[in-house]
């Protein structure tokens, strides 16, 4: 009798700086995944929705939604990195480097780039740089993520702390390499749903995306399984009923995708998420919550040598159970305001 | 700061007779959409389910379910036509003109063909003729729909009323053009699930489709997002809780598709919806409701020059929370009977 | 007026030994079905998940999950075999004979191989051997199933009882014919998620698969409709509320697929279900139940002439609302223990 063949995930002691982990289960992304992704979030960006639209601007066909790529790669890392995580602390330096198409097969690996025991010695923070690559070995996505992971034994010694220095934002000069050169008048603004080009946005501009969507258990579970993300907090009500929240936690990526889909109303031409500069899941989200979103334009950046596209750095904020007409973010004490569940710092690409 | 880039939909004042609106987000229909559609309704028509069956009767492969085409085209019109709708009043002259296959890209446009302010001046009825077309520019679907839309300002002047004259039914001589000529003995009645050909149905015949299906929030939300239909009443429980029904309203198209799927039991060989002569969402449907359906054959029509197929005009009635053994339709006062939620007038195509 | 065209399913009297029934609705399996299957169960077996991984070991592309094939074929038999079933009593001699790929079209037929009236004369047991075949006429799956079916009239005479002799287990020498010859070092154990080969398992070894998943109504309904399984007990809450359980029953195949997906944690390299020797749905499962699973290795078998793969006979047990650390199976009275819902006897194929 043995439990030795079933894996229980890594503890803080199992990680070492420099270690490279090959994650299991390569995944061929298909038109089926794309359809289910549409059914789960309702995104309406024309480039990802229409082969004809995508071809008109130089893609070979409609690329897969960037965030579906992100979640697929992220899901692979869970059994190795975060099965024993207490909290997902942050993201940085996330770049979408190659377009992914149905038929592409994604694999992932992570390098441990930092380790720091927490003060109470019961856990530690693990920093990994994760790479998702396609069947040709090209890196399609990379990002840094740090998570608080339980120690197997609080008394065990910890390595000297290593905390990586992370960029505050991705350099906009490096963005957009996966976007084809869009010839003049090839991009159909009417079909895309908005006349607003890159140049029409201004730093400081805030946009309420208006719509709210109420999440159901079946929806977030189907989404999270689609990404082959096996983190138990999303699926096991019997166990969660004994925990802090009494409920299944919705995978943070579901909130990211939902907020991105809602942001269509205001950013219909922001067809590519080129980078995630940073992100924080401010508060948990549960089935029954209604999610709204708003955005603020933080920075306008030209991309050198590209006259066809430009970059907008935006803050995308998801809020639960209250509308975003007042752009909720901080309260009087400079803490996140009630209801704020996601604060994401993005680079978006739009046609000029 | 501006909300100017997020759209809040058109009001009655924004429409003018003759105006043509190009709707956003072209959509490539894929095998993924077809699979999810099957998962949502469980339709079992052999032509749409099997490439082999479809090829045997002359299609290049299995065509996409007609109603998936309808909902996809309909979904595109929502942000422009009915985001501020009070009620979806009716359909007419809906014709399915070309078969749609996975890989086809659908776009939609609508022409305003009628406007009539309502008596209380707070709203008006907008009539549009919507066309869905494929990547070759061919019209795959067209229909007339009229909706009651809020006025931005009840005091604003209204144009002279224009009410289009609409056909009571589509001329059966024009039906079936998207159906290949079915050679003798090419259609497998056993595999299709029923021996009953077109000629075996009689006007006045009524069929109880027996089965009932209970709808869940996750199901109708996934369906409605799959169609990229962004009407907020289907998704936002927080807001709906303040409204008349206290619940999210299920998109009427979900009821149409479910009734059609249930009608397989009795019309297994009615493999093509050629036209919707008219339709009315009699009452709202909510998660937790159990939907049943029954049909009445209204008319039997030959299609000139076609010896292989014929048309049946049927009334398809969906009923909630009661079975259809007694064919519920009207009560003693000639109002719709309790439980009736859909009254649809269809032309169906069957092999002869 | 007639109900004659809607089918109400067969009763015990409608079956005769030797009768062959062609089931309706051939079904082309697509990448869409595969994606939805992943979303519903979250399986992570590399062979079915990645075209690249599958090709590396000799498949032309990733084959469809064996159990998706099973459920698809099973679903077709429901309207003919079990619409009036009181209970699904068992399976035997189930063999997966050919790999199925997206694009393949599955059809099914069943031969009645046994009939036995029950003692109270109100029902009888019907034994059928069902075959699923692809577009080339090749049998991809066959199995024996027996169900208790209502009699139309308890007084009607019953045929002489015929009870087929069924094998206790499929001969392992016949297994694995659909698996390509896997060249040395072609199978990537890291990518597959486990280093454990066939030779590392021992008879008597028990593995707790740890994770539990809570099922939702929308999930099992979508799954069961995906298989075009029309058994009403899974869908109609209004009717079920009047019955023994007051709830919709989850299709047993959903539990099988979920237990199989959970068994990845411990059997990551068991990439092919080659046979189901027998199976029993011990107790019903409902939405809200949390399903766990554990396995016991019953037998280790070489496959003659194959040095690349071997077979493990395992018992796969699904349990609801309690973990499997204690491997629950029987209670003191040798009855199934509380919570046990599935007891399945499988042949699995692993690389050597």
């Amino acid at each position: 009798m043995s439990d030795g063949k079933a894996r229980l995930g890594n503890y803080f002691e199992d990680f070492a700086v420099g270690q490279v982990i090959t994650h299991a289960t390569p995944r061929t992304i298909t038109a089926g995944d794309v359809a289910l992704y549409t059914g789960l979030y309702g995104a309406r960006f024309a480039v990802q929705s229409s082969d004809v639209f995508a071809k008109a601007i130089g893609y070979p066909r409609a690329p897969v939604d960037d965030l579906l790529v992100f979640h697929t790669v992220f899901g692979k890392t869970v059994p190795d990195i975060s099965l024993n995580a207490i909290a997902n602390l942050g993201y940085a330096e996330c770049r979408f480097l190659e377009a992914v198409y149905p038929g592409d097969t994604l694999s992932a690996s992570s390098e441990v780039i930092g380790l720091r025991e927490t003060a109470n010695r019961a856990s530690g923070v693990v920093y990994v740089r994760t790479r998702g690559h396609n069947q040709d070995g090209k890196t399609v996505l990379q990002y840094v993520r740090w998570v608080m992971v339980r120690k197997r034994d609080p008394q065990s010694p910890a390595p000297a702390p290593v905390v990586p220095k992370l960029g505050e934002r991705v350099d906009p000069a490096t963005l957009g390499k996966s976007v084809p050169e869009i010839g003049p008048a090839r991009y159909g603004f009417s079909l895309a749903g908005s006349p607003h080009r890159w140049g029409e946005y201004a730093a400081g501009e805030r946009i309420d995306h208006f719509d709210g969507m109420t999440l159901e258990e079946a929806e977030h579970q189907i989404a999270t399984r689609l990404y082959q993300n096996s983190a138990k907090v999303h699926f096991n009500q019997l166990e969660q009923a004994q925990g802090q929240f009494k409920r299944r936690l919705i995978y943070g990526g579901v909130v990211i995708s939902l907020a991105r889909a809602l942001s269509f109303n205001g950013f219909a031409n922001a067809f590519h998420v080129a980078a995630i500069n940073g992100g924080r899941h401010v508060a948990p989200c549960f089935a029954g919550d209604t999610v709204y979103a708003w955005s603020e334009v933080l920075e306008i950046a030209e991309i050198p040598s590209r006259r066809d596209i430009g970059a907008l750095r935006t803050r995308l904020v998801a809020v639960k159970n209250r509308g975003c007409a007042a752009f909720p973010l901080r309260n009087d004490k400079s803490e996140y305001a009630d209801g704020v569940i996601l604060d994401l710092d993005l680079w978006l690409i739009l046609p000029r």
Side-chain angles (χ1 to χ4, degrees), chain A:
Chain A
M1 190 193 317
S2 158
D3 289 339
K5 293 189 179 75
R7 297 176 59 202
L8 292 169
N10 291 316
Y11 289 86
F12 183 69
E13 293 92 328
D14 299 320
F15 295 97
V17 172
Q19 180 186 5
V20 176
I21 301 169
T22 298
H23 304 298
T25 313
R27 174 84 149 80
T28 303
I29 304 291
T30 70
D33 301 306
V34 171
L36 191 43
Y37 190 87
T38 301
L40 290 165
Y41 307 109
R44 290 179 282 151
F45 295 96
V47 171
Q48 284 75 26
S49 181
S50 165
D51 284 339
V52 175
F53 193 97
K55 280 179 188 168
I57 62 168
Y59 288 96
R61 62 186 292 193
V64 169
D65 192 289
D66 300 299
L67 296 174
L68 173 52
V69 174
F70 180 85
H71 302 323
T72 301
V73 170
F74 183 101
K76 302 195 175 324
T77 71
V78 167
D80 298 310
I81 306 298
S82 50
L83 216 56
N84 297 307
I86 298 163
N88 199 19
L89 298 175
Y91 308 106
E93 299 184 2
C94 174
R95 299 176 61 198
F96 295 86
L97 296 165
E98 295 278 344
V100 172
Y101 302 98
D104 284 353
T105 298
L106 301 182
S107 299
S109 64
S110 297
E111 180 181 355
V112 180
I113 60 168
L115 288 172
R116 181 173 57 79
E117 195 184 41
T118 45
N120 68 8
R121 303 208 54 200
S123 60
V125 179
V126 179
Y127 297 79
V128 292
R129 185 179 304 276
T130 294
R131 285 186 180 79
H133 56 270
N134 66 15
Q135 66 282 356
D136 300 323
K138 284 187 183 167
T139 300
V140 297
L141 167 69
Q142 63 178 42
Y143 63 89
V144 173
R145 170 189 177 212
W146 53 108
V147 290
M148 189 182 297
V149 176
R150 280 191 189 79
K151 286 176 72 181
R152 190 176 279 109
D153 171 10
Q155 305 308 319
S156 66
V162 175
V163 176
K165 198 172 169 69
L166 297 170
E168 188 238 345
R169 81 190 207 320
V170 172
D171 180 355
T174 68
L175 301 176
K177 298 210 188 311
S178 72
V179 179
E181 195 77 34
I182 305 174
R186 303 298 293 169
Y187 186 96
F189 288 87
S190 292
L191 282 177
S194 163
H196 302 297
R197 297 159 184 266
W198 171 77
E200 296 174 41
Y201 290 84
E205 185 173 353
R206 294 192 291 182
I207 298 174
D208 175 7
H209 303 305
F210 289 121
D211 290 323
M213 242 181 220
T214 306
L215 289 165
E216 300 295 321
E217 299 282 12
E219 293 168 352
H220 78 83
Q221 293 196 147
I222 290 172
T224 309
R225 285 186 297 244
L226 185 70
Y227 315 138
Q228 298 176 309
N229 178 331
S230 59
K232 60 177 70 171
V233 293
H234 309 312
F235 299 114
N236 189 327
Q237 180 55 39
L238 194 71
E239 202 167 297
Q240 288 302 106
Q242 310 302 317
Q244 177 186 358
F245 298 112
K246 314 295 178 203
R247 322 266 307 266
R248 280 164 275 178
L249 283 167
I250 291 179
Y251 163 49
V254 167
V255 175
I256 293 176
S257 282
L258 189 50
R260 164 74 177 155
L262 294 172
S263 78
F264 175 84
N265 196 7
F267 287 101
N269 294 316
F271 63 86
H272 173 44
V273 176
I276 302 175
N277 297 304
R280 190 163 161 198
H281 297 293
V282 174
C285 185
F286 306 102
D289 284 341
T290 300
V291 176
Y292 295 81
W294 66 274
S295 292
E296 179 175 4
V297 179
L298 301 176
E299 188 179 346
I300 315 282
E302 296 205 12
I303 299 173
S305 82
R306 295 296 291 259
R307 299 301 304 166
D308 57 331
I309 56 172
L312 293 184
R313 186 177 170 199
T314 67
R315 155 177 273 157
L316 175 58
V317 179
V319 178
K320 69 179 188 181
N321 304 329
R322 55 186 286 203
C324 292
F327 308 110
L329 185 64
R330 301 281 178 184
N331 62 18
D332 293 346
K333 303 177 189 165
S334 288
E335 298 156 342
Y336 277 107
D338 273 359
V340 174
I341 55 179
L342 174 74
D343 183 9
L344 208 59
D345 182 335
L346 302 170
W347 277 119
L348 303 174
I349 301 294
L350 290 86
R352 293 176 72 161

